[in-house]
Structure formats: C-alpha cells, structure tokens
Amino acid sequence: MGSWVDGRGVLVVADVEVPVEVAASYRARTRGLLGRGGIVGALWLTPASGVHTFGMRFAIDVAYVDRELVVVDVCTLRPGRMGRPRWRARHVVEAEAGALARWGVRRDVQLRVWGVGGS
C-alpha cells in the first residue's frame, strides 16, 4: 500500500464506484463528518480503528477495514454513540446509514481506493 494523503478519489466495491473523501491527516480525521448535514459518497479515515458520532446530525454506516483493504466488520451508529474499536482495523469508511448495504459493503469484501494514496 502507498502512503495516504487527504483528498478525493473513488471507492470501488465489486463493480460499484463511489466518490470518496480521504482523511489521512490528524486534522481531517478529527473533523470527519462533524457539522455536516450529510455526505455524497463516503469518507475514508486512515489510520483509524474506531469512530464516534458525538456532535453528528445523522446516522452513519461504518465499515472497519484491515491493511489489505478487506472489510472486517460493518455497523450503523446513531448520533451520540461511540463505536467499539476493532483491533484488526487500519481504516474506517463512513457513509450515510443504508449506503454501505446498497453498495455491497459487508464483512470479508475486498475494497479498492483509486486516486488518493493507497492505490
């Protein structure tokens, strides 16, 4: 894997392509989805093994992803919740609730990210 940088790219799940924002810097990871009313596509947090939704305005789907970009777990978090860290996770994908299932993201699925680091 290459080194990750903040920016925009494409998250590929099987044959589905989704716009993705990559948050690789401490500042970008800390900001995350806070203060937003929603997101088009997904947010890729790296490095990350856990998330929270304190201060968020909407429920999110969370996919925990290992170093090989394989999904190790998926859950949905309502605002004001703390997600339990997954010890094998190196990255986290956040999207609006319901989006990950529509895209086919589930445990043991291989992800790809094009256009921003890691590719």
Side-chain angles (χ1 to χ4, degrees), residues 7-19:
R8 296 185 182 276
V10 177
L11 173 66
V12 181
V13 185
D15 58 352
V16 177
E17 294 186 358
V18 178

Side-chain angles (χ1 to χ4, degrees), residues 21 28-39 43 55-58 60 94-96:
E21 296 175 40
R29 287 191 319 272
T30 302
R31 185 177 59 240
L33 296 176
L34 295 176
R36 300 191 200 187
I39 183 173
L43 178 66
M56 293 192 55
R57 299 178 182 168
F58 57 98
I60 60 171
E94 295 180 344
E96 288 193 21

